Amino acid sequence: MADASPLLECRNVSKAFGAVQALWNVDFEVRPGEVMALVGDNGAGKSTLIKGIAGIYPFDAGQVFVDGEEVHIHGPRDAARLGIEVVYQDLALADNLDIVANMFLGRERTRGAVMLDEPNMERAARETLDSLSVTTVKSVRQTVAGLSGGQRQSVAVAKAVMWNSRIVILDEPTAALGVVQTRQVLNLVRRLAEHDLGVAIISHNLHDVFEVADRITVLRLGQRVALFEREKTTQQEVVHAITAGTLDAVPGMETPDAEAAPTEVEA
Amino acid sequence: MSATAGVGPVPGGPPVDETGASSTVSGYMRVWWQGVRAGELGSLPIIVGLVVIVITFTLLTDNFFSERNFTNLILQMAAVATMAIGIVFVLLVGEIDLSVAFVSAVGAVVMTLLLRPGDPGWPWWAAIGFALLCTTTIGFLHAIVITKAGVPSFVVTLAGFLIWSGVVLILTTQYSTAGTIRIQDSTVIGIANDFLSPVWGWILGVAVVAAFAAVQLRTSMTRRARNLAAKPIVLIALQTLGLAAVTFAAIWYLNEDRGVPKVAVILGIALAFWSFVAARTRFGRHVYAVGGNAEAARRAGINVDRVRIAVFMISGFMAGVGGIMLASRLRSVATNTGSGNLLLLVIAAAVIGGTSLFGGTGRVIAALLGALVIASIQNGMDLMGLASGTKFVITGLVLLGAVLVDAFSKRRRAARGGV
């Protein structure tokens, strides 16, 4: 598993918003069948990195490879075509629609020119949920408004994997969930990897990260300061990298904590 | 009556549950009742309200339930229901259109002017077609300002309200000295004043019931064939019987008077068509999605602006149809066409019928149900000889009640969703 070539690889990607250097020469990769965690403090550049990959804010510089081939992602549609799906923190579900309608939103199947093929979509939705062993959802015809946080997250993930996607990026999937539902979602994340998808997960919760991730990328102030293998590291080490990882000099920026102890631990 | 557009599972309709609990009639009813308790009220409150209103006025007045009054009621509410269909679409995406009444008047005036014998003396179909083109274009123009300039629809259509009322005044005073322009085309007058012969009424009634049963059966069969939970055949039979009873009773009663009004047929076709669009097409699904979560719709690749523009065009088109119905009924247009409380009645009809002002919830049939409630109340109060002021107060209270039901059921849905 760990030796597979990366499904998604970012090399030296950078992004600036005006004077703010949000990302600086960041490397990031996800291999098939692995869960790569992306951690860092607020403002570390986690969201900017995934938004770049998703094509929402294209990178200023650097290269992105999918399956070893360089790709240029200029919009969400490019990303979707490459099999990259992002599940954002707000899930982007329409509360008033049922699960089937949400999973097929914008990509409805029709019979003839205009008429929705409901039985077809209902089957496919049910099968996708079953393949991910989502057992908590009783009916795919209930509206999303009636679902719990964990169920919503499951629906959003199922929606993402439905389109032959190979790389699924989850933004804080457990942030708003209770203990039981967090467990359900983490199990779901593991199952995605078992299906040989590449999974990237952003999280603030190191406990969750250590439970689910194979490797951990640490960002700090827009730079990658460490890459750990979960089995060879500890939470303390990761926390230290998050708060005091060594930074490269960024043009135009002082390095305020150059005196901090070097902590980079390459896997 | 011909206005039965109920076709299959609709957002907001009874949920279908594939665990098998709903494969029997009692199971299906249980799932439906759970939905009601959780705030998925659908058309329930309005139907209960309608029954209460009919019983009340039948007891309080001598002739509320007479054949003649029943026919009048349909004639009175047809235009409001027609225009309310457009408003349902606008409300579904979470917008509002305050210009419908005067847009409908513009349509009516344009048609009437084009029909004037010899000047230019267009045939009825060309005059109607051009009038509808005008009102649809007006809806398009409103929508362009709303979507491209980002101005709230409330303000844009309020401006439209003033602008188009002015246009109606300008046109009617320019082309007549008395301020009234009569319609002389018999086809156009016939729209709201002609009735089907009893035989055609019955044929239509049978066709409507048969179509309903066929659509329901086909849906059920397809789902069964694909091994999905389907509506039980017994329930379809019961619903068809219920529909047949109501339809045939209405047709019999109308035939006792002058027959089934032509406007009722037009309204029925409009309801069936737009119900299909809303519930069964990709466009309809996108309308609900934009109203439910515009951001989610945008991220799903739906062109949100295009959906918004389309609903305002639908609103303009249906306003035009309603305006032509009103003009036909009065056989003329005048300086006051589209004024009065027409706008309020149309929006109230959509809301009372169960369309949520918050967007994303409601069905096209709401336009009919709401218009029926309003027309019944007004008609009943007229028969009782109540003062104008009292009638306004009571109509207002009914509207308030409908909005409160919506607000409470939404709260209930939210409470359940927040597990």
Side-chain angles (χ1 to χ4, degrees):
Chain A
M1 167 199 79
D3 295 327
S5 61
L7 204 50
L8 170 75
E9 188 181 3
C10 302
R11 267 187 226 157
N12 289 328
V13 293
S14 297
K15 175 77 188 171
F17 295 104
V20 181
Q21 192 71 43
L23 289 177
W24 176 250
N25 282 344
V26 169
D27 290 343
F28 181 68
E29 63 170 37
V30 184
R31 295 174 186 158
E34 85 165 345
V35 177
M36 170 65 93
L38 187 56
V39 299
D41 211 342
N42 291 338
K46 308 184 296 286
S47 296
T48 310
L49 180 59
I50 62 157
K51 281 178 178 160
I53 296 168
I56 293 176
Y57 306 128
F59 297 122
D60 299 335
Q63 294 163 295
V64 180
F65 299 85
V66 171
D67 273 340
E69 280 185 41
E70 185 167 6
V71 295
H72 298 278
I73 302 172
H74 298 294
R77 281 175 187 274
D78 291 343
R81 219 177 353 252
L82 292 164
I84 301 169
E85 289 281 342
V86 183
V87 180
Y88 293 97
Q89 205 170 347
D90 64 5
L91 302 182
L93 298 173
D95 273 0
N96 59 328
L97 295 178
D98 64 27
I99 293 172
V100 179
N102 267 293
M103 285 176 68
F104 280 89
L105 195 58
R107 306 186 246 204
E108 293 84 0
R109 292 183 191 166
T110 54
R111 224 173 339 154
V114 290
M115 201 166 149
L116 295 172
D117 191 348
E118 295 285 0
N120 185 329
M121 292 193 283
E122 195 170 323
R123 286 294 297 253
R126 184 79 257 177
E127 280 162 14
T128 305
L129 286 171
D130 287 347
S131 77
L132 296 172
S133 309
V134 176
T135 50
T136 54
V137 174
K138 283 201 294 286
S139 166
V140 289
R141 281 293 172 194
Q142 66 192 116
T143 55
V144 168
L147 298 181
S148 69
Q151 289 172 325
R152 282 157 174 264
Q153 189 66 244
S154 303
V155 170
V157 170
K159 179 182 172 186
V161 301
M162 196 151 190
W163 308 100
N164 298 319
S165 49
R166 295 176 304 157
I167 301 150
V168 177
I169 303 172
L170 300 147
D171 187 2
E172 296 273 3
T174 58
L177 301 183
V179 177
V180 177
Q181 295 179 349
T182 298
R183 167 129 320 279
Q184 288 168 3
V185 170
L186 293 180
N187 287 341
L188 181 59
V189 170
R190 268 322 321 173
R191 270 195 299 277
L192 294 179
E194 282 160 20
H195 281 64
D196 242 19
L197 291 134
V199 184
I201 174 171
I202 293 187
S203 184
H204 270 109
N205 187 331
L206 284 187
H207 186 73
D208 290 355
V209 167
F210 269 76
E211 203 167 314
V212 77
D214 298 305
R215 293 193 295 165
I216 301 162
T217 296
V218 183
L219 292 185
R220 177 162 177 256
L221 298 175
Q223 300 183 30
R224 188 179 83 175
V225 293
L227 174 64
F228 298 105
E229 285 195 34
R230 184 202 54 196
E231 291 179 347
K232 297 181 187 163
T233 187
T234 61
Q235 288 204 26
Q236 271 164 316
E237 222 172 1
V238 175
V239 170
H240 190 250
I242 291 171
T243 52
T246 315
L247 298 167
D248 288 339
V250 174
M253 197 174 109
E254 302 288 324
T255 45
D257 45 1
E259 75 281 1
T263 50
E264 187 160 3
V265 185
E266 280 292 343
Chain B
M1 207 166 30
S2 59
T4 36
V7 274
V10 178
V16 182
D17 175 40
E18 76 266 33
T19 53
S22 62
S23 296
T24 61
V25 176
S26 64
Y28 194 86
M29 295 309 287
R30 201 170 58 239
V31 169
W32 172 77
W33 182 241
Q34 279 167 0
V36 169
R37 285 167 47 112
E40 313 272 352
L41 297 180
S43 302
L44 186 66
I46 181 81
I47 289 172
V48 171
L50 204 50
V51 170
V52 170
I53 289 165
V54 169
I55 292 173
T56 309
F57 284 122
T58 307
L59 294 176
L60 288 178
T61 65
D62 294 333
N63 42 6
F64 179 78
F65 215 77
S66 68
E67 301 89 333
R68 175 144 293 249
N69 195 48
F70 185 50
T71 307
N72 286 342
L73 206 127
I74 288 177
L75 294 173
Q76 284 164 5
M77 67 108 213
V80 170
T82 304
M83 292 162 68
I85 294 175
I87 292 297
V88 168
F89 276 91
V90 173
L91 291 180
L92 278 179
V93 297
E95 305 281 347
I96 188 80
D97 187 348
L98 298 177
S99 70
V100 270
F102 285 114
V103 171
S104 81
V106 168
V109 170
V110 166
M111 176 196 71
T112 307
L113 290 176
L114 292 173
L115 282 173
R116 289 189 308 164
D119 177 30
W122 285 25
W124 63 268
W125 50 268
I128 288 178
F130 189 78
L132 295 180
L133 182 67
C134 287
T135 58
T136 310
T137 308
I138 290 172
F140 174 76
L141 293 176
H142 291 161
I144 287 293
V145 180
I146 291 162
T147 54
K148 302 306 173 201
V151 185
S153 55
F154 182 87
V155 181
V156 173
T157 57
L158 189 61
F161 174 98
L162 291 168
I163 293 168
W164 305 115
S165 70
V167 169
V168 169
L169 263 180
I170 292 168
L171 288 175
T172 46
T173 47
Q174 186 171 352
Y175 288 96
S176 73
T177 41
T180 303
I181 309 169
R182 282 170 45 77
I183 298 171
Q184 286 162 36
D185 186 280
S186 61
T187 313
V188 171
I189 290 176
I191 291 172
N193 293 292
D194 281 358
F195 299 83
L196 298 185
S197 70
V199 178
W200 275 109
W202 283 115
I203 292 173
L204 183 77
V206 172
V208 165
V209 173
F212 173 82
V215 169
Q216 293 282 319
L217 270 178
R218 209 180 130 221
T219 307
S220 183
M221 296 300 199
T222 321
R223 294 183 61 86
R224 236 170 269 269
R226 304 237 194 162
N227 219 359
L228 295 165
K231 219 189 222 184
I233 301 284
V234 185
L235 187 66
I236 295 177
L238 285 175
Q239 286 183 331
T240 307
L241 274 178
L243 176 68
V246 174
T247 310
F248 294 157
I251 289 173
W252 171 75
Y253 219 52
L254 289 168
N255 281 344
E256 290 290 294
D257 188 46
R258 285 158 287 177
V260 177
K262 272 189 182 168
V263 274
V265 181
I266 297 172
L267 174 60
I269 292 169
L271 284 167
F273 175 76
W274 290 116
S275 291
F276 174 82
V277 169
R280 294 289 188 99
T281 68
R282 186 179 287 191
F283 168 74
R285 179 63 44 86
H286 293 175
V287 168
Y288 282 93
V290 170
N293 187 342
E295 176 61 17
R298 195 184 61 77
R299 283 200 213 144
I302 295 169
N303 189 332
V304 173
D305 279 356
R306 206 184 302 166
V307 172
R308 288 214 176 99
I309 291 170
V311 298
F312 278 98
M313 289 173 73
I314 293 172
S315 176
F317 178 82
M318 294 312 289
V321 176
I324 290 167
M325 286 178 176
L326 282 177
S328 162
R329 187 164 147 75
L330 297 172
R331 297 164 195 259
S332 65
V333 292
T335 46
N336 65 352
T337 299
S339 61
N341 54 10
L342 180 61
L343 166 70
L344 301 177
L345 293 185
V346 171
I347 292 179
V351 174
I352 290 174
T355 315
S356 173
L357 285 164
F358 306 107
T361 317
R363 297 160 73 185
V364 170
I365 198 77
L368 172 74
L369 297 171
L372 268 176
V373 166
I374 290 186
S376 305
I377 293 173
Q378 297 218 315
N379 176 296
M381 290 189 301
D382 279 340
L383 293 178
M384 288 174 69
L386 293 184
S388 258
T390 318
K391 290 196 290 187
F392 276 126
V393 170
I394 293 177
T395 313
L397 287 175
V398 171
L399 174 61
L400 189 63
V403 178
L404 287 177
V405 168
D406 176 33
F408 282 124
S409 65
K410 188 183 173 76
R411 197 185 287 178
R412 193 137 189 185
R413 286 196 297 271
R416 196 184 55 150
V419 179

